[in-house]
């Protein structure tokens, strides 16, 4: 039986099985769902066993557990480590969901549920692809290990230490991840770069209490005025970050890189119209796709202070706050970036105002050479199933743990995503296009078969 016929004959069975997993509200960020996260891990372990995987173990961490399994019966063949996550984002606001987030529903060829595309649906495809090859062939053409965590949506807070402690167990020739997207429907892509991340919270305080604007206005510092002035100093009028040292480690865009970005054929006018904008905006001298894929950013994610209620209150606020995140590229060091921003803020604070900074997240950018043999075979696998070979792209988002996998395991990371950017991941009505569920299964099988032709260094 061909693999296409195999998957078609079991499609309803597979989707019903996936729905069982999707019904478990494994929200890692909310403590009241800790039992649900554990239930999702146990469901995964049970399903891996039924699929024919071996040495299945739920490894506890100081947070949510990591599920491991393997199938190591291909001596001399490469070892692939499949990574993914079984935790999901919170679901608020509930009223914006067409159907309940943990009651999977298929509409117009799309599976709606929290976790459908991020990342249970994509992880599930790997399980079913491995199961299919085992049932059809009796063995696998490569050695397989799986490392599926329950904390990706809260920053993989314990996974780096898990990788360090289990380097031998997780040793692999390549890490295979499905947690990214196609360029658009029918246009597969393999991400060769993810931006790093750092974040901070900034506070400005002035007087000991809020003050009456009639009695004190114009004569004392205003925390909101001080904060707004401070934040405005972070960029120049050309969209560049005006912090000394911010661009250290940022590589120049070579003509070849610009050519690769241009191949994506992104229609900026279509993007502008789709977002309801009168104009796009960003660092001068770069296209939209270059800004998102290869340039660093400093963004304000929240600014608040003073009176927020209905009507007017003539008050001079004593405090104001902002949340800042940066997306990083190349060799930018997140700690250096945070320190540079803090130094900039200190040097620009208004007289009479006090600055308070709390540094939070720190993650390096991830990059891989697309000439790597496993990436080339992955691009070929997409081509066989989708009819068009995958393009190599750089993603503006961040998956911080990818850099950890690459650095700790010293293995190339192959980002074979099957989602689409408009599938509302992290938002109400998250869904997964079942066209890519079907094609994804076949693509993974093609990749597994071709990967067996690459020499191994891990066993």
């Amino acid at each position: 039986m061909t693999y296409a016929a195999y998957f078609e004959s079991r499609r309803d069975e597979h989707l019903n099985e996936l729905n069982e997993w999707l019904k478990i509200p494994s929200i890692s960020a909310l403590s009241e769902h800790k039992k649900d996260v554990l239930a999702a891990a146990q469901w995964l372990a049970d399903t891996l066993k039924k699929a024919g995987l071996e040495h299945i173990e739920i490894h506890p961490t100081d947070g949510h557990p990591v599920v491991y399994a393997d199938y190591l019966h291909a001596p001399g063949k490469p070892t692939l480590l499949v990574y993914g996550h079984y935790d999901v984002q919170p679901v608020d606001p509930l009223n914006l969901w067409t159907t309940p987030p943990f009651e999977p529903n298929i509409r117009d060829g799309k599976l709606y549920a929290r976790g459908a595309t991020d990342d249970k649906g994509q992880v599930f495809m790997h399980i079913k692809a491995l199961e299919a090859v085992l049932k059809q062939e009796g063995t696998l053409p490569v050695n397989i290990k799986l490392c599926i965590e329950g904390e990706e949506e809260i920053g993989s807070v314990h996974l780096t230490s898990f990788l360090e402690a289990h380097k031998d167990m997780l040793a692999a020739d390549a890490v295979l991840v499905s947690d990214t997207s196609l360029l658009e429907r029918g246009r597969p892509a393999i991400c060769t770069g993810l931006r790093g991340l750092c974040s901070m919270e900034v506070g400005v305080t002035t007087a000991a209490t809020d003050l009456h604007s009639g009695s004190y206005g114009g004569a004392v510092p205003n925390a909101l005025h001080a904060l707004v002035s401070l934040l405005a100093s972070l960029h120049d009028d050309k969209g560049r970050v005006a912090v000394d040292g911010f661009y250290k480690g940022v590589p120049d865009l070579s003509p070849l890189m610009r050519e690769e970005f241009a191949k994506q054929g992104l229609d900026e006018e279509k993007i502008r119209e789709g977002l309801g904008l009168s104009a796009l905006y960003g660092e001068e001298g770069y296209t939209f796709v270059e800004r998102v894929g290869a340039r660093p950013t400093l963004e304000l994610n929240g600014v608040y202070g003073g009176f927020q209620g209905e009507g007017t209150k003539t008050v001079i606020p004593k405090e104001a706050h902002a949340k800042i995140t940066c997306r990083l590229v190349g060799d930018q060091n997140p700690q250096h970036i945070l320190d540079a921003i803090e130094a900039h803020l200190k040097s620009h604070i208004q007289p009479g105002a006090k600055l308070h900074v709390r540094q939070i997240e720190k993650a390096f950018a991830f990059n891989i050479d697309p000439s790597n043999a496993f990436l080339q075979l992955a691009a070929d696998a997409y081509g066989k199933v989708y009819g068009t070979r995958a393009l190599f792209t750089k993603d503006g988002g961040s998956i911080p743990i990818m850099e950890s996998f690459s650095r700790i395991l010293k293995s190339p990371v192959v980002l074979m995503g099957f989602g689409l950017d408009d599938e509302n991941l992290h938002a109400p009505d998250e869904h997964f296009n079942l066209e890519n569920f079907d094609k994804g299964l076949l693509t993974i099988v093609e990749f597994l078969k071709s990967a067996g032709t690459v020499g191994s260094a891990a066993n």
Side-chain angles (χ1 to χ4, degrees):
M1 182 186 297
T2 66
Y3 281 99
Y6 173 93
F7 287 123
E8 184 177 0
S9 68
R10 291 164 172 80
R11 190 174 192 260
D12 289 344
E13 173 191 335
H14 288 168
L15 289 176
N16 288 336
E17 194 173 352
L18 173 57
N19 287 347
E20 293 176 8
W21 204 17
L22 293 172
K23 288 177 181 178
I24 303 173
S26 50
I27 305 172
S28 55
L30 303 178
S31 57
E32 61 263 35
H33 285 284
K34 184 172 183 177
K35 289 184 178 179
D36 296 313
V37 178
L38 289 172
Q42 187 61 58
W43 186 96
L44 173 60
D46 294 341
T47 302
L48 290 169
K49 184 176 181 180
K50 286 187 288 186
L53 279 297
E54 300 173 342
H55 305 118
I56 298 154
E57 187 172 353
I58 299 176
H59 290 266
T61 71
D62 289 337
H64 301 303
V66 174
V67 179
Y68 173 85
D70 62 35
Y71 193 88
L72 308 174
H73 297 284
K77 298 294 185 178
T79 298
L80 303 180
L81 174 65
V82 177
Y83 163 78
H85 64 94
Y86 61 86
D87 64 321
V88 300
Q89 282 276 326
V91 296
D92 295 336
L94 273 171
N95 64 299
L96 296 182
W97 287 80
T98 304
T99 52
F102 297 109
E103 295 180 17
N105 182 270
I106 294 177
R107 303 191 299 274
D108 301 321
K110 302 171 183 178
L111 174 60
Y112 286 81
R114 175 58 90 225
T117 189
D118 184 25
D119 183 35
K120 288 179 178 175
Q122 298 201 56
V123 170
F124 184 78
M125 289 193 301
H126 285 276
I127 301 171
K128 292 295 115 178
L130 292 169
E131 180 182 71
V133 177
L134 284 170
K135 286 188 174 180
Q136 294 268 91
E137 316 290 346
T139 190
L140 297 178
V142 293
N143 299 292
I144 284 288
K145 299 176 181 179
L146 294 99
C147 174
I148 315 298
E149 69 159 320
E151 296 186 331
E152 195 274 345
E153 300 294 7
I154 53 173
S156 300
V157 286
H158 297 103
L159 190 58
T160 296
S161 58
F162 182 85
L163 296 180
E164 293 278 12
H166 297 86
K167 282 190 286 190
D168 292 340
M169 181 181 79
L170 299 172
D173 294 288
V175 180
L176 180 58
V177 184
S178 294
D179 198 11
T180 51
S181 301
L182 308 179
L183 274 176
E184 59 186 17
R185 183 180 177 186
R187 295 187 69 202
I190 295 173
C191 178
T192 63
L194 292 161
R195 292 194 287 191
L197 179 73
C198 62
S199 66
M200 62 166 50
E201 292 180 353
V202 176
V204 170
T205 58
T206 51
T209 184
D210 289 351
L211 299 171
H212 190 289
S213 67
S215 301
Y216 294 94
V220 298
N222 180 313
L224 271 173
H225 289 188
L227 180 66
V228 170
S229 173
L230 196 60
L231 298 178
S233 75
L234 291 169
H235 291 85
D236 65 19
D237 59 2
K238 298 184 184 300
R240 281 179 62 85
V241 177
V243 174
D244 286 345
F246 183 83
Y247 290 95
K248 182 179 180 181
V250 176
D252 292 332
L253 266 180
S254 67
L256 180 60
M257 288 177 67
R258 289 199 136 152
E259 184 181 334
E260 285 298 309
F261 280 122
K263 285 179 182 178
Q264 296 184 30
L266 210 63
D267 186 336
E268 292 196 4
E269 186 64 14
K270 183 178 179 181
I271 292 172
R272 183 194 65 76
E273 291 180 356
L275 295 174
L277 292 169
S278 60
L280 298 175
Y281 178 80
E283 187 181 1
E284 193 173 282
Y286 297 92
T287 65
F288 178 93
V289 69
E290 289 169 351
R291 290 169 181 163
V292 170
R295 298 300 293 170
T297 67
L298 188 158
E299 299 285 355
L300 307 180
N301 308 118
V303 179
Y304 51 99
F307 178 63
Q308 305 290 313
E310 184 178 356
T312 300
K313 183 180 182 183
T314 52
V315 65
I316 298 174
K318 68 169 186 174
E319 62 181 88
H321 305 271
K323 295 178 183 289
I324 297 173
T325 56
C326 299
R327 299 288 180 170
L328 311 177
V329 301
D331 294 322
Q332 282 182 297
N333 185 308
Q335 184 61 63
H336 294 170
I337 295 298
L338 290 173
D339 291 343
I341 296 170
E342 185 168 344
H344 176 97
L345 295 174
K346 286 178 178 177
S347 68
H348 287 74
I349 190 71
Q350 281 186 3
K354 297 175 184 175
L355 178 70
H356 311 271
V357 173
R358 184 169 77 94
Q359 299 184 6
I360 311 174
E361 298 161 292
K362 306 178 188 86
F364 284 87
F366 161 77
N367 289 283
I368 185 171
D369 184 349
S371 67
N372 177 274
F374 288 106
L375 271 71
Q376 290 296 319
L377 291 173
D380 291 340
Y382 276 113
K384 290 177 182 176
V385 176
Y386 281 83
T388 180
R389 197 171 188 267
L391 285 176
F392 295 108
T393 64
K394 290 188 181 293
D395 196 313
S398 304
I399 308 177
I401 201 64
M402 292 302 98
E403 187 273 338
S404 297
F405 271 110
S406 179
R407 172 173 47 84
I408 296 169
L409 301 185
K410 303 188 185 315
S411 301
V413 178
V414 185
L415 289 161
M416 291 182 69
F418 298 96
L420 289 171
D421 284 339
D422 63 357
E423 291 180 332
N424 291 6
L425 59 164
H426 294 202
D429 277 355
E430 177 183 347
H431 59 275
F432 191 19
N433 282 263
L434 294 180
E435 173 187 17
N436 291 320
F437 177 82
D438 297 332
K439 290 183 175 179
L441 289 165
L442 294 171
T443 304
I444 294 168
V445 169
E446 288 290 344
F447 177 69
L448 292 174
K449 290 193 293 185
S450 63
T453 64
V454 180
S456 170
N459 56 39

